[in-house]
Amino acid sequence: MRKFDFRCTWLKILAVPSVLLMLAVAGSMALAADDAPLLELHEWSVWIGEPQAKTINGGGDYPTAMPGLVETERSRKRDEKPKPAPIGVMTVYGEPPEVVDIDLKITAGRPISQWPRSEGKSNRLRWLDLKLTKELSSPELLAYIPDTHWFNKARELNGLYMQLKKGGRAERFFAYDLELQTPLNIRLDGGPDVYKVVNLGKHVFHDVLLIVPGPDGHRIGWLNTIAAAPGGGAAATPGGKNPAQPQAGAAVGQPVQGVVLANNGAGVIKVAAGQPGAPAGAAAQPGAAAAPTADPSKETIVEIPLSGPFAVDSDEFKDKTDGEMRRRLGKTGLTAAEIDLIMSLYAPHFFATDDIHFVYRIAQDGLDEITPLVVEPETTKIKRVALVIARRVDPRLREDVQQLITDLADASYAKREKAEKRLKDLGNLAIPSLKEAMKGKDLEVVMRAERLLLSQKEQLPPEQNPAP
């Protein structure tokens, strides 16, 4: 018969409460960690581009939004008709941890300016070992900014103060300006009542706005989304998480076949008859995506009908532009104060324009691919929003370019001069046609086209390079 070891048994019995106590303590610590207030970083930016340009936010194309104490390559001149200026802003909210690192990488491009100065290199902005506080220890840590500059409004966003590790400046936000080596992947066709929007790129367009001015007022078209071009793999990162590396190729855009109808500011997609999985005449809910097709096209084309004309100073126009934009930005998680700042800076460039403007939002997964952002501690919740202003998208401008190229050969000297000046004003939009014009036999047309291309710093074909 086996002997029963009472001593070992009692030791095991006594050990059970200890283990349970340890598990309870560990569980309460984990619960406390989960319940602890997290940092939340909000980033918003405005990008500007034109068809045919090689870059978005081109360094020589737009003025700076930075104050005088910030170094920049951009012009500080203010034209009679001001252009929008690219900008990016980060603000941090929550309970300050011991130290924070913010690392913003530009996959294709470079920083033009930054505030405060980061430790980044040619394609990176890095603010490391940041000390975050709710209160400013000394007013002298903040640089002087003129009262009328928007930096002062950014300081009223109630973000945490961030002080650089080397005893440098403290600031309540970070601002930066990037030049992105990527084209504007959009084309606008058709008009005047219905336009076709062509997405040539790998990222979905969100909260799409088309503004078309006319003699009777401005006409408006809103869409919730326009799918990415087929085969374009955009990065997919779970919303609100802190990516260590962008997950390239995780989502594939699909073509949209159908007609998109404006319905009180919301996009409604009517699925085309005969489309797989959809009965003839079936209509999706507002904002829904059309079913994918096997169309091998490399473009996504969606129609966007326009509203009737509104007077720019009418309450209805304000509600369907400024009001609608605010409602849509509110759904991204930006604060009301952040949205107020964005609108105070860019509402005239979004809505009160003399030319056709196209505005859309790039979602966080697209930003995580174009400009990957890493924040330590990694529990930081991140909300990222980029608004893109597409300028000179009017399809009639392409027709104007062709006529102006013809006018370069006109018998009238005044008409030739006028055509050259207008082509110069059209900038990047005229470059492909000017390069084609250089293949012609009219020497004056070739000479003027060459001069225009050189003024745009375009590289000429080898046979067209001027003699040294």
Side-chain angles (χ1 to χ4, degrees):
M1 181 182 292
R2 293 181 58 189
K3 294 183 179 180
F4 193 78
D5 192 341
F6 288 97
R7 184 180 60 182
C8 293
T9 301
W10 280 107
L11 286 173
K12 291 177 181 177
I13 292 172
L14 291 172
V16 170
S18 300
V19 172
L20 293 175
L21 179 61
M22 292 173 64
L23 290 173
V25 171
S28 64
M29 291 175 64
L31 184 61
D34 290 340
D35 291 343
L38 301 179
L39 278 186
E40 191 166 301
L41 183 147
H42 291 193
E43 177 197 27
W44 60 266
S45 53
V46 175
W47 300 351
I48 309 158
E50 300 176 9
Q52 308 300 339
K54 297 176 182 177
T55 61
I56 293 176
N57 302 340
D61 296 333
Y62 306 104
T64 183
M66 298 292 189
L69 82 164
V70 180
E71 294 181 7
T72 180
E73 299 176 25
R74 295 194 189 275
S75 170
R76 298 187 187 275
K77 288 180 60 179
R78 296 296 174 187
D79 297 335
E80 185 177 342
K81 184 181 177 182
K83 290 182 180 179
I87 198 64
V89 175
M90 292 182 189
T91 311
V92 180
Y93 305 91
E95 292 297 321
E98 183 176 347
V99 68
V100 171
D101 293 340
I102 298 176
D103 188 342
L104 180 71
K105 185 178 179 182
I106 306 108
T107 54
R110 64 192 179 101
I112 297 285
S113 57
Q114 58 206 269
W115 177 258
R117 186 88 184 161
S118 81
E119 299 179 29
K121 298 183 180 178
S122 60
N123 67 336
R124 207 164 197 160
L125 296 175
R126 305 178 75 203
W127 293 280
L128 305 179
D129 295 335
L130 295 169
K131 178 183 178 183
L132 272 61
T133 60
K134 291 185 177 181
E135 302 295 335
L136 192 63
S137 59
S138 172
E140 286 74 22
L141 293 174
L142 285 177
Y144 169 75
I145 301 293
D147 293 341
T148 56
H149 199 274
W150 69 266
F151 266 33
N152 289 296
K153 292 183 179 179
R155 287 174 175 174
E156 297 172 359
L157 294 174
N158 293 324
L160 296 173
Y161 289 99
M162 298 176 282
Q163 186 174 4
L164 302 178
K165 67 178 181 178
K166 296 178 181 177
R169 293 287 185 188
E171 192 51 87
R172 222 167 184 179
F173 63 93
F174 288 154
Y176 59 87
D177 177 5
L178 308 179
E179 180 184 72
L180 303 172
Q181 297 292 330
T182 182
L184 187 70
N185 292 309
I186 179 177
R187 190 178 74 245
L188 201 65
D189 295 329
D193 298 316
V194 178
Y195 284 84
K196 291 182 179 180
V197 182
V198 184
N199 186 351
L200 304 165
K202 62 195 301 186
H203 300 112
V204 178
F205 297 164
H206 295 267
D207 299 328
V208 176
L209 169 64
L210 179 63
I211 294 278
V212 180
D216 299 324
H218 284 46
R219 304 177 70 185
I220 307 164
W222 276 103
L223 295 179
N224 288 350
T225 59
I226 298 178
T237 303
K241 294 197 176 177
N242 189 5
Q245 294 292 336
Q247 303 298 313
V252 178
Q254 297 292 344
V256 173
Q257 292 265 336
V259 180
V260 180
L261 307 176
N263 180 16
N264 295 326
V268 180
I269 298 179
K270 183 177 179 182
V271 183
Q275 196 167 327
Q285 294 298 318
T293 73
D295 187 350
S297 168
K298 295 183 179 180
E299 300 176 344
T300 294
I301 305 175
V302 176
E303 291 186 349
I304 176 168
L306 300 174
S307 69
F310 295 102
V312 176
D313 57 354
S314 69
D315 291 340
E316 193 170 10
F317 178 80
K318 186 175 181 180
D319 179 68
K320 292 185 180 296
T321 53
D322 184 280
E324 183 66 21
M325 180 72 82
R326 287 174 183 271
R327 287 188 284 271
R328 289 171 180 264
L329 288 176
K331 294 178 181 179
T332 68
L334 294 182
T335 68
E338 288 169 334
I339 295 171
D340 284 343
L341 178 56
I342 294 171
M343 301 306 286
S344 70
L345 292 172
Y346 291 100
H349 303 295
F350 292 155
F351 314 129
T353 171
D354 295 333
D355 305 310
I356 291 180
H357 265 36
F358 186 84
V359 182
Y360 61 95
R361 177 175 62 85
I362 297 178
Q364 184 155 326
D365 56 356
L367 289 175
D368 289 340
E369 181 180 355
I370 300 169
T371 54
L373 175 65
V374 178
V375 180
E376 295 290 344
E378 62 180 13
T379 53
T380 303
K381 187 175 182 180
I382 298 175
K383 297 181 180 180
R384 313 186 72 193
V385 174
L387 293 172
V388 181
I389 302 175
R391 305 173 73 244
R392 291 176 174 167
V393 293
D394 190 340
R396 294 172 299 181
L397 291 177
R398 299 197 296 270
E399 300 172 6
D400 291 346
V401 168
Q402 296 305 316
Q403 181 58 52
L404 291 168
I405 295 291
T406 301
D407 290 347
L408 291 179
D410 195 88
S412 167
Y413 174 78
K415 195 168 185 177
R416 296 196 302 271
E417 285 286 295
K418 184 178 180 180
E420 182 174 348
K421 183 179 184 303
R422 176 60 177 154
L423 286 166
K424 186 175 182 179
D425 291 340
L426 289 172
N428 296 307
L429 191 64
I431 287 174
S433 297
L434 289 170
K435 288 184 175 180
E436 191 65 28
M438 290 189 64
K439 301 175 184 178
K441 297 181 179 180
D442 189 306
L443 294 180
E444 181 159 5
V445 171
V446 171
M447 179 270 293
R448 289 179 181 271
E450 179 183 280
R451 187 160 62 199
L452 287 165
L453 288 170
L454 290 174
S455 72
Q456 295 290 329
K457 297 182 180 178
E458 281 291 311
Q459 186 174 0
L460 304 178
E463 64 273 12
Q464 299 291 348
N465 282 335

